[in-house]
Amino acid sequence: MENLLYGDGIHDDTAAIQELIESGCEVNLPVPKKHYLISRPLELHSNLKLTLPRFAEIRLKDGSNCYMLKNAMVEDRKNRIDVKLFDYVNRYCPDMPCENIEVCGGIWNFNNKNQNPNPLSCGRYEPEGYTGLCFLFYNVKNLRLSSLTLKDPVNFAVTLDKVSYFKVDNITFDFNDGNLYQSNMDGIHLCGNCNHGSIENLFGTCYDDTVAMNAEEGSRGVISDVTVRGIYTENAYSAVRLLSASPECAVRNIHISDVHGTFYHFGICFMPFYTTGKRGLFENITINNMYGGKSSRDLVKFYKVHQYRKYALVDVEGGVDVKNLAIRDLHRREFVDGEVPTLQFAKGAVIENLTLENITAENFTDKENMPFIVNKAEINGSNAEELLK
């Protein structure tokens, strides 16, 4: 081995770790003396497993301003356009996929206060594509991320785009202050063309979506056949955002279960967000076993959180079509905000086949009549006609 692996928190370990990655199909890093320090993205090739001791820290060096981890990509700038946060879509060739990558263990510390600020907040994008994203996996088949702690990103902790047959499990989010603000700090962020995956057992507080399925972002395309099971959080922005603004970027066949937490924006939301001149499309969505309520925004040093209206625990925005939505075993215990409803279906939404079963709400606030369901949508086919009147 030409490069020394220090693990002392002083010397740069990037070259040594990358050399180990290039040398074989399985890399097991030893317990560091203090922590590993990297200054460039670690680049993972196909048929590789990278393992760290569960609580061994790997930290991004001050001023590195780059991803911590990404899969191998072939650069192709010939047709590059300005897409800012998702610049990689036009920077890297989409015809060179990776497969069979696994990352297990470690505390991955983006060290956000000592990187450049969030370009979404300050409006400054670096020419080499700095985005504040911690992990990026683009165009990968068969991916697993497990038993990780993701600490202090600037933007999303994990971004998946055009990833199929994936499993993300047993992830802890250790988010503290932001840079500039506690905003845009998603946990697991799925862009378009992600399918056949599971996301299980997420712990900790994110200052944006714990899980985002945003089909209009990145490579843009359908997100389908994804299971989210087990979110455990307090005072988080949200549990799950589902985003579609066109039928070409539908979100379908999604099962969400075992959500526990309190949320200062919404628990689960269906929204278009982008202006495309079309309607978002969601098909075959189930929500089971959700236990939670709202929390106070005062707990968070946030900035420019969208407040065009107050969100419910489960919220369907206008401008979307939802086909086959089932919500079962949702239990709200509200101690903070008795003004917002448990379920809200906005004007301009069309829902075909809605099932509501075993939904309860307990009000411990000083508001006497906490709304249960506010419905202004067009709903065709439901087992809860009386509640929706």
Side-chain angles (χ1 to χ4, degrees):
M1 186 172 174
E2 295 183 4
N3 296 286
L4 292 177
L5 187 65
Y6 293 97
D8 60 5
I10 300 172
H11 294 86
D12 192 330
D13 293 302
T14 311
I17 297 173
Q18 191 63 49
E19 183 180 339
L20 289 169
I21 289 170
E22 298 300 328
S23 68
C25 61
E26 187 161 349
V27 176
N28 292 279
L29 294 180
V31 177
K33 297 174 186 176
K34 186 176 180 183
H35 60 257
Y36 295 112
L37 196 64
I38 62 172
S39 58
R40 300 188 308 279
L42 299 177
E43 189 169 297
L44 308 182
H45 54 72
S46 293
N47 305 311
L48 175 80
K49 180 177 181 181
L50 173 63
T51 302
L52 282 77
R54 176 64 187 90
F55 297 107
E57 182 176 341
I58 183 165
R59 182 180 299 182
L60 190 62
K61 188 177 180 181
D62 292 2
S64 296
N65 304 313
C66 62
Y67 307 114
M68 294 191 75
L69 201 62
K70 68 185 184 75
N71 59 288
M73 302 178 193
V74 176
E75 196 153 347
D76 178 9
R77 293 174 177 258
K78 288 184 293 185
N79 299 313
R80 192 174 180 195
I81 59 175
D82 181 20
V83 291
K84 294 184 178 179
L85 189 65
F86 307 108
D87 175 72
Y88 58 83
V89 171
N90 293 290
R91 182 175 181 179
Y92 298 107
C93 176
D95 302 322
M96 304 290 287
C98 285
E99 60 182 10
N100 306 325
I101 293 175
E102 182 172 351
V103 181
C104 181
I107 298 172
W108 296 79
N109 184 353
F110 196 81
N111 184 24
N112 64 5
K113 280 297 189 183
N114 295 300
Q115 311 303 329
N116 282 351
N118 178 0
L120 286 173
S121 296
C122 69
R124 296 195 303 271
Y125 286 85
E126 304 299 322
E128 288 305 309
Y130 170 72
T131 58
L133 306 180
C134 185
F135 288 8
L136 171 64
F137 291 94
Y138 173 54
N139 204 11
V140 180
K141 181 179 180 180
N142 298 332
L143 171 70
R144 185 174 185 191
L145 307 176
S146 64
S147 302
L148 311 173
T149 295
L150 297 162
K151 181 174 174 59
D152 295 335
V154 166
N155 271 326
F156 315 151
V158 175
T159 302
L160 306 184
D161 191 327
K162 203 176 179 182
V163 174
S164 60
Y165 301 98
F166 61 90
K167 184 171 185 179
V168 178
D169 63 303
N170 296 313
I171 306 298
T172 298
F173 303 111
D174 181 12
F175 294 2
N176 298 287
D177 208 353
N179 183 2
L180 300 167
Y181 314 99
Q182 291 172 319
S183 63
N184 308 120
M185 297 168 71
D186 281 8
I188 310 299
H189 188 103
L190 274 57
C191 293
N193 300 297
C194 288
N195 58 77
H196 299 291
S198 69
I199 300 169
E200 300 182 8
N201 296 328
L202 307 181
F203 303 89
T205 297
C206 296
Y207 300 117
D208 210 315
D209 306 310
T210 306
V211 176
M213 300 189 202
N214 293 6
E216 297 287 346
E217 296 183 342
S219 65
R220 298 188 69 251
V222 172
I223 294 175
S224 69
D225 304 287
V226 178
T227 298
V228 178
R229 181 184 298 112
I231 293 177
Y232 306 89
T233 185
E234 291 183 356
N235 305 319
Y237 179 99
S238 74
V240 181
R241 180 197 303 264
L242 306 171
L243 189 155
S244 167
S246 64
E248 297 82 9
C249 295
V251 177
R252 58 171 59 104
N253 304 335
I254 308 297
H255 182 76
I256 302 166
S257 66
D258 303 313
V259 175
H260 303 256
T262 56
F263 310 98
Y264 59 88
H265 209 37
F266 50 76
I268 298 172
C269 189
F270 300 68
M271 63 170 52
F273 193 77
Y274 296 101
T275 302
T276 64
K278 301 180 182 181
R279 293 177 63 83
L281 177 60
F282 304 91
E283 297 181 302
N284 307 325
I285 313 294
T286 64
I287 300 169
N288 290 346
N289 299 326
M290 182 173 181
Y291 303 85
K294 301 286 284 188
S295 66
S296 173
R297 290 181 174 87
D298 294 339
L299 299 169
V300 182
K301 299 175 185 175
F302 69 92
Y303 180 68
K304 290 186 178 178
V305 172
H306 300 288
Q307 295 185 68
Y308 44 88
R309 66 176 178 79
K310 287 195 172 186
Y311 287 91
L313 198 60
V314 176
D315 211 300
V316 177
E317 290 279 271
V320 302
D321 297 321
V322 185
K323 300 181 180 180
N324 304 322
L325 170 61
I327 304 173
R328 299 183 176 94
D329 298 306
L330 185 154
H331 304 286
R332 177 185 183 188
R333 288 170 58 83
E334 188 56 60
F335 295 90
V336 174
D337 193 342
E339 295 183 0
V340 300
T342 301
L343 304 176
Q344 186 158 240
F345 308 124
K347 182 179 179 180
V350 177
I351 304 175
E352 302 281 347
N353 299 325
L354 173 66
T355 300
L356 302 176
E357 294 180 359
N358 195 24
I359 298 174
T360 65
E362 296 178 88
N363 182 11
F364 297 95
T365 73
D366 58 4
K367 184 174 177 61
E368 292 184 4
N369 297 308
M370 184 176 71
F372 187 60
I373 298 177
V374 172
N375 176 43
K376 298 181 181 179
E378 177 185 332
I379 297 179
N380 302 308
S382 175
N383 70 335
E385 290 85 354
E386 291 300 318
L387 288 173
L388 295 167
K389 287 180 179 178

